[in-house]
Amino acid sequence: MDAELAAMAASGATTLVSLMVTDSWTHARALMGRFLARAGADTVAITGLDDARARLLLTGTAVDERAASVIAAEWQTRLCGLVEAGALTGEELSALGASLRRLAAAAAGRPATVHNTVSGGTQHGPIVQAGTVTGLAFPPDPSPRREQG
């Protein structure tokens, strides 16, 4: 396996394991479930996620380094296996890692990196780039409007 793909799998697995002990676990589990289903993995893989989390939580501390390392290695092996079987591309693995890192950033209270792409010609309206938008109000349009009568 390509060293770059192996590194991406390791990073994704480590981030996944770190999310297992956070409030973001439900979102991470759902993300991995969708990802594994698209990659053709069976339901045993989802059960494996739940089992891994249970083992990690049973260690007695939220951050048992040894248990986390073992579980991350297992998930790295699973992700590498999907790549080697052709069920997963490097691009898909990279997208998974990015999604998991966004969840981890949100779990840690750090702002997530946001990337917006605007295409398709001229845009007439505001474009807002933000992770979360609350209480947003735009000023009234300064151009006069004619009522249709």
Side-chain angles (χ1 to χ4, degrees):
M1 165 172 276
D2 179 288
E4 184 179 353
L5 289 174
M8 281 193 287
S11 174
T14 301
T15 305
L16 175 65
V17 171
S18 72
L19 286 165
M20 289 180 176
V21 294
T22 69
D23 291 338
S24 295
W25 171 242
T26 304
H27 297 294
R29 184 187 183 282
L31 173 71
M32 282 300 294
R34 288 189 304 273
F35 177 79
L36 292 169
R38 279 195 313 267
D42 56 17
T43 56
V44 173
I46 299 298
T47 304
L49 280 173
D50 295 331
D51 291 345
R53 181 173 190 256
R55 284 187 326 200
L56 189 61
L57 294 176
L58 285 175
T59 62
T61 62
V63 193
D64 182 338
E65 293 295 323
R66 184 162 162 40
S69 297
V70 169
I71 293 168
E74 291 170 5
W75 278 94
Q76 177 184 0
T77 300
R78 285 185 184 214
L79 292 174
C80 287
L82 290 171
V83 171
E84 289 172 346
L88 179 63
T89 66
E91 188 174 297
E92 291 167 328
L93 183 59
S94 177
L96 173 66
S99 295
L100 290 171
R101 283 188 298 279
R102 280 192 297 276
L103 278 174
R110 296 186 310 256
T113 301
V114 177
H115 174 78
N116 291 335
T117 302
V118 178
S119 63
T122 304
Q123 305 298 317
H124 299 283
I127 298 173
V128 178
Q129 181 168 333
T132 304
V133 178
T134 58
L136 182 65
F138 293 104
D141 188 351
S143 62
R145 294 184 182 200
R146 296 182 187 203
E147 291 186 20
Q148 300 288 328

